[in-house]
Amino acid sequence: MHIGPVDSSRVPRFAGPATFARLPRLDQVERADVAVVGVPFDAGVSYRPGARFGPAAVREASRLLRPYHPGLDVSPFERVQVADAGDIAANPFDIGAAVETIEAAADELDAKLVTIGGDHTIALPLLRSAAKKHGPVALLHFDAHLDTWDTYFGAEYTHGTPFRRAVEEGILDTEALSHVGIRGPLYGKKDLEDDRRLGFGILTAADVLRRGLDEVIDVLRQRVGDRPLYVSVDIDVLDPAHAPGTGTPEAGGLTSRELLEILRGLAGCHLIGADVVEVAPAYDHAEITSVAASHVAYDLVSLLAMQEKT
């Protein structure tokens, strides 16, 4: 028997420590198959700061999550042992040192990770760690922005550059890279040309609207195939109506329903890890963004649980 969430019929959901989905801490279980870990780091942001408070806000919003997922027909916390691994404490003043710390901490966690950020800089060290175990991985990147820019003010490591660095380092499978939800103004057409050269395909927010969810899911599944897959979700892929609490909001985004349905359409893919980033609760209203992010993380945990052998 796996240790699951605190029983809400005995302890009200608003009481007790806010671990993710009220799950046990990692030190309360013998081992975990899936671990939810926070990275409260936002020194890589280019506009509004505050994502360092994302992990705490998402955990607080996750109190209402329940143990059975009807959309995927799985009870993830019964199927596998899921635990909250706490936070990775990264240097808030030195991005390079922080990236090294996050990579080393991810290496040490003997479980499949769903990481809650933090800004999108953290995706690079998480991908480095994943590639050590699986080789170059496929990537589905949900975001309003490409995050394949080269530098900001001469800095190579920021929340707008992780996937360019990852391609340059050879840790991504360039035959299986996709952005989903891209929208908004760019610095120039060259941004798209550079992105294409790096190997990415793009399904814009408008594509999701016009082509429909079933076609989008089919395109993504065909591109990924059976490769080891990492999913990175910037919460600003959602429209500001669904995720106001983020650092770089863009109009015209996905609904939370669309995002969750696309994720559920990945059932059966070889998912090996995921992150949910850029939740900045200071700009949130009534926990709208934190609630959405908590459900995204729950779906990712559920997808990982479904593929584990019982």
Side-chain angles (χ1 to χ4, degrees):
M1 294 293 292
H2 302 298
I3 301 175
V6 173
D7 186 348
S8 61
S9 69
R10 295 177 179 272
V11 181
R13 295 184 183 280
F14 45 79
T19 59
F20 182 79
R22 308 183 82 205
L23 286 162
R25 301 188 313 269
L26 188 59
D27 61 3
Q28 294 176 310
V29 299
E30 290 186 7
R31 65 174 301 276
D33 301 295
V34 179
V36 179
V37 61
V39 183
F41 172 86
D42 66 0
V45 299
S46 57
Y47 193 51
R48 302 193 307 196
R52 65 184 62 184
F53 300 109
V58 173
R59 287 186 175 106
E60 190 65 36
S62 75
R63 287 177 179 273
L64 198 57
L65 295 172
R66 299 177 181 89
Y68 173 65
H69 192 315
L72 291 170
D73 188 24
V74 65
S75 296
F77 312 138
E78 289 184 8
R79 187 176 179 87
V80 298
Q81 182 62 67
V82 188
D84 190 317
D87 287 341
I88 297 171
N91 189 325
F93 305 110
D94 186 328
I95 295 177
V99 166
E100 292 179 2
T101 296
I102 296 164
E103 180 183 351
D107 289 345
E108 291 178 5
L109 287 168
D110 184 23
K112 292 184 177 178
L113 301 183
V114 174
T115 306
I116 302 171
D119 75 54
H120 225 152
T121 311
I122 73 171
L124 177 61
L126 295 170
L127 285 167
R128 287 176 177 173
S129 180
K132 290 175 187 175
K133 302 170 187 175
H134 301 280
V137 298
L139 174 71
L140 293 185
H141 170 222
F142 295 83
D143 203 324
H145 311 97
L146 300 170
D147 290 359
T148 52
W149 288 282
D150 192 6
T151 63
Y152 284 127
F153 292 87
E156 294 184 347
Y157 301 107
T158 78
H159 75 158
T161 66
F163 303 120
R164 180 183 286 250
R165 298 289 91 82
V167 170
E168 291 171 348
E169 293 178 15
I171 57 179
L172 294 181
D173 184 337
T174 54
E175 297 298 315
L177 307 178
S178 294
H179 302 296
V180 183
I182 303 300
R183 62 190 188 278
L186 297 169
Y187 295 107
K189 193 171 183 178
K190 186 176 183 297
D191 293 345
L192 294 172
E193 295 168 353
D194 287 349
D195 193 77
R196 192 178 304 112
R197 179 176 54 80
L198 292 170
F200 281 89
I202 298 176
L203 287 167
T204 67
D207 289 331
V208 174
L209 172 66
R210 295 180 181 279
R211 299 174 68 172
L213 296 181
D214 290 342
E215 183 177 340
V216 166
I217 291 166
D218 185 59
V219 168
L220 295 176
R221 291 184 67 97
Q222 287 189 38
R223 190 162 178 84
V224 169
D226 59 359
R227 299 172 175 88
L229 170 64
Y230 188 93
V231 173
S232 186
V233 181
D234 186 325
I235 206 64
D236 74 21
V237 71
L238 299 180
D239 189 87
H242 298 266
T246 192
T248 47
E250 302 279 359
L254 275 60
T255 67
S256 53
R257 179 175 59 240
E258 288 171 333
L259 174 58
L260 292 172
E261 286 301 315
I262 294 172
L263 291 175
R264 292 166 192 173
L266 301 177
C269 291
H270 184 196
L271 185 63
I272 53 91
D275 62 58
V276 185
V277 300
E278 300 284 354
V279 175
Y283 314 105
D284 210 354
H285 172 68
E287 295 186 300
I288 293 173
T289 311
S290 301
V291 168
S294 73
H295 280 265
V296 169
Y298 177 60
D299 273 32
L300 292 166
V301 168
S302 297
L303 289 170
L304 286 167
M306 289 175 69
Q307 63 189 26
E308 289 291 322
K309 295 180 180 179
T310 56

